[in-house]
């Protein structure tokens, strides 16, 4: 991703306004988690507000992380007979249909291996595994398709997609937020509650990342973010750091792979700074996190398929 050096990130007053709003005992009297979504989404949007040569990056809130039931059934089977996920062959994101599909040219339906972004109402797969991470960074790659003839049935779909064909998506950042520690707490009591909330976020994050890696066989690393209101941390999470979702879903006798993954990542988070959103040290962490994402896009995408023909 050759480009000019990016400037150090600095939180805008728009971000700080939203932090003050979320922290306010008047406007957020119940100390709800949802009030913290806007300042994080705004922050991620600003951090990644630059031209990406190989696609686009967008901050998304509570997108639908979806693991198709066919894929989940295969994971359960292989888990039951003791095979590792890496032993499973014969599937990839190439299962997305690249061909023409009648008048709507609707090539975007989920395949067996898809991590799909959908709403609760539109997912027809009742047996699928699904979750809603609070904050994510979405990486999209698309090609520009030549316009079909004016009277061609594919013309409507081409027009509605602005002439684009999306052929790749992944999530370099997956994050889970919890509410802020009680605002009246200070000192050790505050720190203890913040630690508990971050630990709860980590437990959820492990599940999301396991589901993501199971659904995207090409993804090798993701940035994990946990937050308790304005206090947040980040680490890199490798595929081997978390078990298969099937191992988390069904706890086998004498084994608790989720607990092992939580312990591993907890130690890693403990080695990272805990910073307050909008402050200078937080901005420095976002600058470092951005560099880590750029590295992922530069070096961890080689196994994804090449762009299709327009």
């Amino acid at each position: 991703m050759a480009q000019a050096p990016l400037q150090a990130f600095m939180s805008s007053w728009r971000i700080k306004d939203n932090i003050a709003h979320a922290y306010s005992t008047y406007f957020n009297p119940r100390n709800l988690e949802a009030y913290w979504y806007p300042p994080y989404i705004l922050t991620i949007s600003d951090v990644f507000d630059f031209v990406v040569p190989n696609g686009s990056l967008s901050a998304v809130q509570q997108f639908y992380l979806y693991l198709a039931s066919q894929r989940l059934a295969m994971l359960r089977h292989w888990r039951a007979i003791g095979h590792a996920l890496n032993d499973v062959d014969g599937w990839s994101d190439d299962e997305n249909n690249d061909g023409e599909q009648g008048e709507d040219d609707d090539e975007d339906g989920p395949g067996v291996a898809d991590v799909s972004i959908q709403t609760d109402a539109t997912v027809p797969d009742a047996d699928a595994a699904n979750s809603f991470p609070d904050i994510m960074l979405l990486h999209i790659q698309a090609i520009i398709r030549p316009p079909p003839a004016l009277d061609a049935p594919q013309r409507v779909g081409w027009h509605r997609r602005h002439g684009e064909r999306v052929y790749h998506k992944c999530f370099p950042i997956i994050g889970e937020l919890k509410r802020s520690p009680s605002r009246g707490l200070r000192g050790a009591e505050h720190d203890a509650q913040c630690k508990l909330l971050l630990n709860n976020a980590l437990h959820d994050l492990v599940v999301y990342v396991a589901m993501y890696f199971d659904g995207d066989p090409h993804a090798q690393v993701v940035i994990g973010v946990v937050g308790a209101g304005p206090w947040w941390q980040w680490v890199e999470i490798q595929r081997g750091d978390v078990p298969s979702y099937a191992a988390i879903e069904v706890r086998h006798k004498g084994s608790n792979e989720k607990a092992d993954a939580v312990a591993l990542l907890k130690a890693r988070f403990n080695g990272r700074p805990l910073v307050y959103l909008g402050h200078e040290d937080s901005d420095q962490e976002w600058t470092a996190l951005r560099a880590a994402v750029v590295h992922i896009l530069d070096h961890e995408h080689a196994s994804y398929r090449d762009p299709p023909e327009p």
Side-chain angles (χ1 to χ4, degrees):
M1 186 187 293
Q3 60 185 36
L6 298 169
Q7 294 184 342
F9 173 69
M10 181 178 297
S11 293
S12 67
W13 279 107
R14 183 175 63 156
I15 292 170
K16 294 177 181 179
D17 284 348
N18 277 270
I19 294 170
H21 176 248
Y23 193 83
S24 170
T25 56
Y26 181 81
F27 290 103
N28 184 14
R30 297 172 60 193
N31 193 21
L32 297 178
E33 169 191 312
Y35 280 70
W36 291 102
Y37 299 159
Y40 277 95
I41 292 297
L42 287 169
T43 297
I44 296 173
S45 293
D46 286 356
V47 169
F48 293 97
D49 184 20
F50 58 92
V51 176
V52 182
N54 56 345
S56 64
L57 297 169
S58 304
V60 295
Q61 175 185 318
Q62 290 194 324
F63 259 35
Y64 199 84
L65 194 61
Y66 167 81
L67 187 59
S69 60
Q70 302 101 313
R71 174 60 179 159
L72 187 56
M74 184 168 65
L75 290 168
R76 289 169 179 157
H77 171 71
W78 283 78
R79 168 69 180 171
I81 62 176
H83 286 268
L85 174 62
N86 289 337
D87 293 332
V88 182
D89 295 322
W91 70 287
S92 75
D93 59 358
D94 287 336
E95 291 181 71
N96 281 324
N97 193 329
D98 289 325
E100 303 298 327
Q101 293 195 4
E103 292 188 2
D104 246 354
D105 186 25
D106 188 5
E107 78 281 359
D108 296 330
V112 172
D114 282 349
V115 178
S116 297
I117 307 308
Q118 312 214 19
T119 67
D120 240 350
T122 61
V123 175
D125 191 350
D127 296 323
N130 55 79
S131 60
F132 297 87
D134 290 327
I135 53 174
M136 303 169 78
L137 181 68
L138 171 64
H139 176 227
I140 290 174
Q141 291 178 292
I143 57 171
I144 302 298
R145 305 177 73 178
L150 290 175
D151 59 349
Q154 293 83 15
R155 181 79 182 193
V156 172
W158 174 87
H159 183 265
R160 290 175 179 175
R161 293 182 177 87
H162 296 283
E164 292 191 4
R165 164 74 164 92
V166 174
Y167 67 90
H168 165 79
K169 68 173 179 286
C170 66
F171 299 99
I173 298 175
I174 299 176
E176 177 66 8
L177 306 179
K178 299 299 178 184
R179 66 175 178 84
S180 172
S182 297
R183 288 160 290 193
L185 294 180
R186 298 293 184 271
E189 287 184 318
H190 172 276
D191 294 346
Q193 189 172 100
C194 187
K195 184 178 181 180
L196 176 62
L197 291 164
L198 291 169
N199 188 63
N200 291 342
L202 175 56
H203 277 261
D204 292 343
L205 181 66
V206 166
V207 176
Y208 300 150
V209 173
M211 183 181 293
Y212 174 58
F213 281 144
D214 278 355
D216 187 340
H218 302 287
Q220 299 301 317
V221 60
V222 67
I223 303 298
V225 172
V226 294
W231 284 271
W232 71 280
Q233 296 172 290
W234 70 277
V235 297
E236 288 193 12
I237 304 175
Q238 304 288 332
R239 175 177 287 275
D241 294 336
V242 297
S244 166
Y245 177 76
I248 293 175
E249 182 189 41
V250 180
R251 180 175 173 178
H252 291 260
K253 185 176 181 180
S255 173
N256 190 352
E257 295 175 64
K258 179 186 175 184
D260 294 340
V262 168
L264 172 70
L265 295 178
K266 187 174 183 179
R268 196 173 297 169
F269 272 110
N270 286 341
R272 299 288 304 161
L274 177 63
V275 292
Y276 190 98
L277 194 66
H279 285 177
E280 183 178 357
D281 54 354
S282 172
D283 291 348
Q284 292 170 355
E285 287 301 303
W286 284 112
T287 300
L289 183 154
R290 181 179 62 193
V293 168
V294 170
H295 184 272
I296 290 172
L297 298 181
D298 275 346
H299 301 285
E300 303 293 341
H301 270 51
S303 63
Y304 285 101
R305 61 178 174 170
D306 293 330
E309 292 296 324

